Amino acid sequence: MSKKTLYLLGIAITIILGTFLYLKFCCNCQETTTDDAPKIVSPAVQEPEFVPFVLNGPGIEYQTHENLKFLKNSAILIMPVSDSVTTGIEKLKTFLGSNPKQKITITGYATSDETNSTTFENLGLARANDVKNFFVSKGMSENQFITKGEIVDKWKMTADTLLGPAEYTFDTVDSTATSTANDEWSVLKDKINADPLILHFNTNKSSQTLNSVEKQKVADISKYLEHVKDAVVLAVGHSDNVGNRDSNIVLGQKRADFSKDYLSKNGIDAARIETSSKGPDEPIGDNATAEGKATNRRTVITIK
């Protein structure tokens, strides 16, 4: 074989061997690099752990991530309130002062698994009432707030604390609506006085646990006072005829005072409750019988 032939054969072998080595090692390297490259995973979108405090009406717009808070099963606001919410409340106070016809409906919320131990028809309404009272304590007019309550399946919570279970709706009440509302409250007053709340007491005692019917009557009184701002509640204490009249007058007054204290703890302004005592002077039962005496030991609560 000539030198020229051997030279050409060497070149051919070199080309073939180089191609084989390239395909075997370089291509495998690229495939491995592609397979082993780290994958970019998009982070999971987390739901924000807050419920914003929002005031959004004609002439006012304010929002902060902080909010009013309530413990589960409680109708009492957790104090203190955050600075950012306080700022919003001050803006609301200024706004309502400049717009006396403006009405705001506060809708309070409670979850279906919470226990309502208040006299309000539901825990959401009790919370709305406490928010309203808080606003009033900051210098706002009670006349500009309407309260509602709703029960929902769930609400955002942190541990045992509900975050901002209240919403605020701004509207203006015209004269026609006011006239209709006045008729509604007149009917409610007649209902309250026609079948008044009567608390019965044991002998020489002035403490009482209310049943569901009596709690509903307290709720009606609270609702009436909320909308009729010059209304006054009258609580009159009575007794049986056991003992002397003077001591029974005192006992009747104690019963009336207990009733006032009970109502004031359940959303009714104590300054709007008048008390008095008739002692044994106005019996409705026969004092000759135990049943009659028990009937006479009472406090009668009406709208004055």
Side-chain angles (χ1 to χ4, degrees):
M1 187 179 293
S2 66
K3 291 182 178 181
K4 183 177 180 179
T5 301
L6 289 173
Y7 176 75
L8 291 175
L9 182 59
I11 292 174
I13 292 173
T14 300
I15 292 173
I16 293 171
L17 181 60
T19 302
F20 173 77
L21 293 174
Y22 173 79
L23 292 174
K24 180 173 179 61
F25 294 103
C26 293
C27 290
N28 286 344
C29 179
Q30 289 178 351
E31 291 174 2
T32 302
T33 302
T34 302
D35 291 342
D36 294 342
K39 297 181 180 179
I40 299 175
V41 180
S42 299
V45 178
Q46 295 184 346
E47 187 178 356
E49 292 298 323
F50 62 84
V51 175
F53 177 74
V54 179
L55 300 172
N56 189 4
I60 183 172
E61 187 171 348
Y62 183 81
Q63 181 171 325
T64 176
H65 288 173
E66 295 291 335
N67 212 322
L68 303 175
K69 300 174 183 178
F70 291 85
L71 287 175
K72 187 173 183 180
N73 301 319
S74 172
I76 307 300
L77 271 171
I78 296 176
M79 294 294 177
V81 172
S82 70
D83 291 342
S84 61
V85 173
T86 299
T87 298
I89 292 172
E90 288 301 317
K91 289 181 180 293
L92 180 62
K93 176 183 175 181
T94 301
F95 171 74
L96 292 180
S98 302
N99 299 272
K101 292 184 179 181
Q102 181 70 61
K103 300 284 185 179
I104 298 178
T105 299
I106 304 173
T107 303
Y109 294 95
T111 59
S112 55
D113 64 342
E114 290 187 271
T115 301
N116 177 25
S117 58
T118 74
T119 59
F120 293 92
E121 60 185 81
N122 64 63
L123 187 57
L125 179 59
R127 285 174 173 157
N129 187 74
D130 203 54
V131 172
K132 179 200 71 174
N133 290 340
F134 179 64
F135 288 172
V136 171
S137 74
K138 296 300 180 181
M140 289 176 248
S141 173
E142 186 178 11
N143 297 338
Q144 291 179 272
F145 294 104
I146 300 168
T147 56
K148 294 171 55 179
E150 292 187 15
I151 303 299
V152 295
D153 291 334
K154 61 180 180 179
W155 195 268
K156 187 175 290 296
M157 297 180 63
T158 298
D160 60 349
T161 300
L162 280 79
L163 307 178
E167 292 181 347
Y168 313 93
T169 305
F170 292 70
D171 54 19
T172 303
V173 178
D174 59 26
S175 58
T176 301
T178 301
S179 177
T180 302
N182 287 339
D183 292 340
E184 177 184 352
W185 308 130
S186 178
V187 170
L188 182 58
K189 178 182 179 180
D190 291 343
K191 173 189 173 184
I192 292 170
N193 288 345
D195 184 20
L197 172 63
I198 300 177
L199 306 182
H200 292 282
F201 299 83
N202 294 326
T203 304
N204 294 324
K205 294 183 180 180
S206 55
S207 61
Q208 177 68 31
T209 300
L210 301 189
N211 60 35
S212 60
V213 174
E214 291 165 337
K215 287 182 178 180
Q216 181 57 53
K217 290 183 178 183
V218 173
D220 287 343
I221 293 171
S222 179
K223 183 177 181 180
Y224 181 82
L225 293 181
E226 179 182 345
H227 292 87
V228 182
K229 302 306 177 183
D230 59 349
V232 175
V233 174
L234 182 60
V236 180
H238 300 266
S239 70
D240 57 29
N241 66 348
V242 177
N244 63 65
R245 182 178 181 278
D246 289 342
S247 62
N248 281 326
I249 291 290
V250 172
L251 183 57
Q253 185 62 47
K254 286 183 179 180
R255 288 169 178 162
D257 290 340
F258 163 80
S259 301
K260 176 179 179 177
D261 181 64
Y262 183 89
L263 293 174
S264 68
K265 290 178 179 177
N266 287 275
I268 298 177
D269 185 358
R272 301 178 68 183
I273 305 173
E274 293 183 4
T275 64
S276 64
S277 173
K278 297 291 185 179
D281 297 345
E282 295 183 0
I284 58 174
D286 185 358
N287 277 313
T289 67
E291 293 80 5
K293 290 178 182 178
T295 301
N296 292 332
R297 296 190 295 266
R298 71 198 189 280
T299 295
V300 179
I301 300 168
T302 58
I303 303 296
K304 188 175 180 180

